[in-house]
Amino acid sequence: MYRRILAVAGAALLAGAAVLVASTSASAANILSNPGLESGTLSPWSCSGNLGSVVTTPVHSGSRALQGAASAADNAKCTQTVAVQANTAYTLTAWVRGGSGYVYLGVTGGNQVWNPSAASNWVQLSVAYTTGASQTSLQIFVQGWYGTGTYYADDFSLDGPGGNPSPSPTTSAPPGVPGTPGTPSVTGTTASSISLSWSASSGTVTGYRVYEGTTVRATVTGTTATISGLGACASHTYTVAAYNNSGESAKSGATTGSTTGCTSTGAMAAPYYYNGWGSPPSITTVMSATGIKQFTMAFMLSGGGCTPAWDSSRPLTGGVDQQTINAVRAAGGDVEISFGGWSGNKLGPNCSSATALAAAYQQVISAYNLKYIDIDIENTDEFENEAVQDRILGALKIVKANNPGIKTIVTFGTSTTGPTYYGTRLINQAAALGANIDVFTIMPFDFGGGADMYNNTVNAANGLKNALKTAFGWTDAQAYAHLGISGMNGYSDQSEITTTAIWTNIRNWANTNHIARLAFWSVNRDRGCAGGGVQESCSGIAQSDWAFTSITAGFTG
């Protein structure tokens, strides 16, 4: 099994609307407010970056429609949150056009669809969603795509029963609650603070509460706030709610900001080690010979359904993989565990929801008391499956909330100039969902790198840096501090050759720019076999044993 990745040049187009499951409830109805924007105002819609507006042309029906002015830095995501019933099927529809065909309709935490033929014509999009066992509200959204221009949407419908009436007057929502504030924007950052601003709520407002998850971080009377006392180079996701004597509004859309002061700790010099093939070497011998302290252990897959197992066949604990991890830790090192890879039966497609996938990740985290997890998202079953991408990001968001201090990594393929369509989508969705990913790692091999693997790797890494800046509003230093490189030592599947000299130059560039992670595939292959081509247990080139690992051990971030 080789850890391969194909550079994808374009999107796989979803040519039509999804087949829907209609609600079985006899009380189905459109429960959205202002579904055709005929009120002439956005309320209760909330649009990121204040980029939403109501227009009179073009419209699908009636006299008004929603316009989203997507820019290079903001996808103009517009949301509405409604009360729903648990364990109930809903159908979301809307008519969209413009945005170069990149107009998305979906349910936050659920599926989304798009249709490229909507570039110049009105096209109806549809999404089916079934609420969870205790779910009482859901958020629907429409959005454009970064840099693809203005989109339009009209005649929204969320078909299904509204939320159950409250059991008593004491728990019913009182009248006079303010409208939902606009999604906040990050207006400034320091090494210990993030400043926010947002558009005012409608109605009578006493003040605003700034939330991080369910915790109130600030209470203010105006429409700006600064959250202080934060750690350097840390990401935080905030929402805002307005309140008065009648109660509190729905929360705004979420925004993510990061403090400055980014420097890499060097803790993520972590080449991949695999017990599945390639004559796995003694890991303590490698540590002693090279000084390496961290490894990325591959691969955690599905042992059947949503149950994790090493390579789908070895037990989660008690086997050779646990013995390897115990040996690394006994020698003063630590491990990242990598989920996924190019082939095999993976957890992402097998787990039915973000919550279920997060629970599978948690089994592994708890079994090994992990400080890092790496989601190696590849191939058409995960990387090129937008629903699975979103499921993985949703699961990692849950993992971060439940495991303070854990570092989450996503690893994916690239082109020679940076992320492909699916890589860019993964980054932008991570920002939109507030997934709080710590490190985005590209794999610059099997990507058309040819004979110039150093410059093509650097170009790809700088393309990733620029994509992170666009998605998160980061500086160069902040973006580099969230960036990783995972190469392939020696011969790749496309006969690209990374020599020890090239890898040394890549390592030096990584240190100069203070990136977060440096890895390669794999320690098993870190042995010489000149002229050997692609092998499981050697690099295919002339080298001393463990040379690439020794070079990687010099990564300081």
Side-chain angles (χ1 to χ4, degrees), residues 34-194:
N34 201 15
L37 287 301
E38 297 302 320
S39 72
T41 66
L42 281 174
S43 181
W45 296 94
S46 178
C47 299
S48 63
N50 296 319
L51 294 175
S53 61
V54 179
V55 295
T56 57
T57 184
V59 299
H60 177 256
S61 71
S63 59
R64 292 178 174 85
L66 172 66
Q67 173 182 279
S71 68
D74 196 308
N75 59 12
K77 183 176 186 177
C78 297
T79 63
Q80 184 177 147
T81 301
V82 295
V84 294
Q85 295 182 19
N87 292 321
T88 303
Y90 289 82
T91 300
L92 171 65
T93 62
W95 290 84
V96 303
R97 66 178 288 179
S100 302
Y102 292 92
V103 189
Y104 296 80
L105 180 74
V107 176
T108 301
N111 292 330
Q112 65 175 7
V113 293
W114 66 297
N115 190 320
S117 65
S120 57
N121 302 301
W122 286 103
V123 171
Q124 189 178 41
L125 302 182
S126 300
V127 178
Y129 180 79
T130 300
T131 51
S134 59
Q135 188 171 355
T136 58
S137 68
L138 66 79
Q139 183 184 78
I140 65 105
F141 68 85
V142 63
Q143 67 178 61
W145 200 249
Y146 299 88
T148 57
T150 298
Y151 71 86
Y152 304 92
D154 200 1
D155 295 332
F156 292 85
S157 175
L158 183 62
D159 192 45
N164 285 324
S166 298
S168 71
T170 59
T171 58
S172 63
V177 171
T180 306
T183 300
S185 299
V186 176
T187 57
T189 58
T190 70
S192 61
S193 68
I194 296 174

Side-chain angles (χ1 to χ4, degrees), residues 257-312:
S258 295
T259 52
T260 60
C262 296
T263 56
S264 177
T265 63
M268 292 189 186
Y272 284 78
Y273 181 95
Y274 184 47
N275 275 314
W277 55 238
S279 302
S282 163
I283 206 156
T284 52
T285 296
V286 175
M287 293 178 74
S288 177
T290 66
I292 198 77
K293 291 295 185 182
Q294 190 170 355
F295 297 89
T296 306
M297 296 286 296
F299 284 105
M300 190 63 67
L301 299 174
S302 164
C306 196
T307 301
W310 291 100
D311 256 7
S312 295

